Amino acid sequence: MEDPAHGAAPHGPRAVALVGPQGSGKSTLSAALVEMAGGGEARRGGRERSSSHEMRPAHCDFLGERWALLDCPGSVEFVHEAAAALAVADLAVVVAEPDPARAIALRPVFRMLEDSGVPFLVFVNKVDALSAPAEALVAAMQAETAVQLVPRQMPIREGERVIGYVDLLSERAFRYRPDAASERIGLPAAVAETEQAAHDALIDSLADRDDELLEQVIEGATPTPAELYSHFRKDMEARSLAGVMFGVAEHAHGVLRLWKALRHDAPDVGATAARHGIAPEGPALAQVFRTSWRGAAGKLSFARVWRGALRDGASYGGVRIGGMMRFAEGELQRVAEAGAGDVVALGRLEGVATGGTLGEAAPALAFPAPPPPLHEVAIAAAERKDDVKLAGGLEKLLEEDPALRLTRDGETGETRLAGLGEIHVGSAVERLERLSGVAVRTARPRVPFRETIRRPVREHARLKRQTGGHGQFADVKLEIEPRGRGEGFAFNDRIVGGAVPKQYIAAVADAAEEATRRGPFGYPVVDIAVTLVDGGFHAVDSSDMAFRSATRAGMAEGLAKAEPVLLEPIHRITVSAPNGFTAGVQRLLTGRRGQILGYAERAGWPGWDDTEALLPAAELHGLAVELRSQTAGLGSFVHSFEHLSEAPPRLAEKVAQAAAT
């Protein structure tokens, strides 16, 4: 039977993002929703399908209404995929685990929802494994979000087993049935008293936000289920509360009730567009939220139509649509037109990047920027002849994934690919090989060490060669001395009496600076001063080239004698993690030669700490992997270059040996 307030006129197409921690069962729930809607085979077969590294869209119709389900990866390394889905979603379903101890994993998800402004509800999956009281679980989740969580359902237990639930809005009880809609039953006497208290608490929560309802309650009147549904929807859309529901996606328990909640509570595209500041009137407007290269299908741009209609083959703002598709029953299906609210894949869309808009004079719309990268590898084609193909693959890869960053290190010649973690980068390399059709080598990036000197030296270099005709002659006397950290390179001359003509002094200066590009350890030399104090020349045999050669030889000899020292870059790093892991975070950092500067509660994140430290750049590689393994996958960090510091002797010796080979 349809709930009282669920018989409203059909809405236009709506989009729902499924978000939550890895392993919570989002993909299983997405498949169960599609199956319950009659949209094809569910393919649920297990607690959770293999973890996905990309957003997976699915289309289905439920009770005559069109839906797009955006199943988002749960790993923090692919959080940008969830953020992109939320940018176009009408509502989000947070899929949570039934363990109060795991509620802390919801904090990043809740924070992303709070920042994005998307209304949401919580679906506690795997409720058959719920061992703690439901009230304790809701309290644990509430500690992780500023939005009030209001249970819409109360689990019914038989002994230790959850066998159904009570819908607190309609006060109806249901028993789960295997792979079928739940069966309505009478309210068990054992839960009647608890249910009444929970129902009253729900009404009180709604009355706190509505004076009319509050007055009704004070006067002793009982709101009808239709009135409660209306208040609940209004408060959810305003993001002043979020409903909490329970079920087991693997067995379709609670899935039909979730569908009915979505149908009633999810805002339509008009309300979502208004939240984004999009005017309701105007030419057709769509926003691309994901780009994917799909083999023979070519480039697909996933887009949400905010207003108007898009037609296959038509041009908008000079951009032509070369194919329009939906994902139904797991397959691409061509469609000729898409209206406001639709989520479609557009083929061969040129000139519109992820986050960009399509339409006549289309306005720029807000789109989430990806987090800063944390893990980096040097990449190259396994065979040099494939460099051009690799470059083409990289162009497609970066178009697909804005969270990746590609840099070229002019000093080392390395091409570096950076992402949000080892899995993210590893997945990107696999995609790169498919996109380019070439084998890719990866390596740990070289650390940008620097060198300086400890003591001043004087060096005399003389070049005298006679090979017939004009010879080569140059004589330079150099003083090489250290400068303060960060003061850079300086050149001076104290030539008197024309010992070295002015036209050659510039050549000495250039050669001296050029010689700092590679010191005894094989890295650039910084913070030194070079002074040309004396020298000699020959009227016929001296030249710029001769003075450059003599200077380079003198610099090489002098730097080796001046007690060279290896400098390593030190970064200031801020690590964020739940405070239960703070001690472990500090041990991790000190174990990587980090200097702890202090820690404090993370602003706006109760129960989380920010630990600040100075950490050698050489120790950043692999830190994300180890940090996440020690913080239940929740730890993250940001870092930036702080200063150069003298490397420990053992490291300097290792680098020197490598330079000598």
Side-chain angles (χ1 to χ4, degrees), residues 178-199:
D179 297 308
S182 301
E183 174 191 12
R184 186 177 173 186
I185 59 175
L187 186 68
V191 301
E193 185 177 338
T194 307
E195 186 280 330
Q196 186 61 54
H199 179 71

Side-chain angles (χ1 to χ4, degrees), residues 98-171:
D99 182 1
R102 288 286 298 154
I104 197 166
L106 295 169
R107 172 57 64 85
V109 179
F110 283 142
R111 185 56 184 252
M112 185 166 52
L113 286 163
E114 292 163 13
D115 291 344
S116 68
V118 179
F120 66 94
L121 60 81
V122 178
F123 182 82
V124 178
N125 193 22
K126 309 174 189 176
V127 72
D128 53 345
L130 178 65
S131 56
E135 298 82 2
L137 174 61
V138 173
M141 293 191 296
Q142 184 64 76
E144 306 303 329
T145 178
V147 177
Q148 185 178 0
L149 302 182
V150 178
R152 292 182 59 146
Q153 298 172 341
M154 185 185 76
I156 300 174
R157 294 179 186 269
E158 277 187 0
E160 296 299 313
R161 195 164 60 94
V162 174
I163 55 94
Y165 63 92
V166 179
D167 186 299
L168 296 175
L169 286 168
S170 65
E171 294 194 282

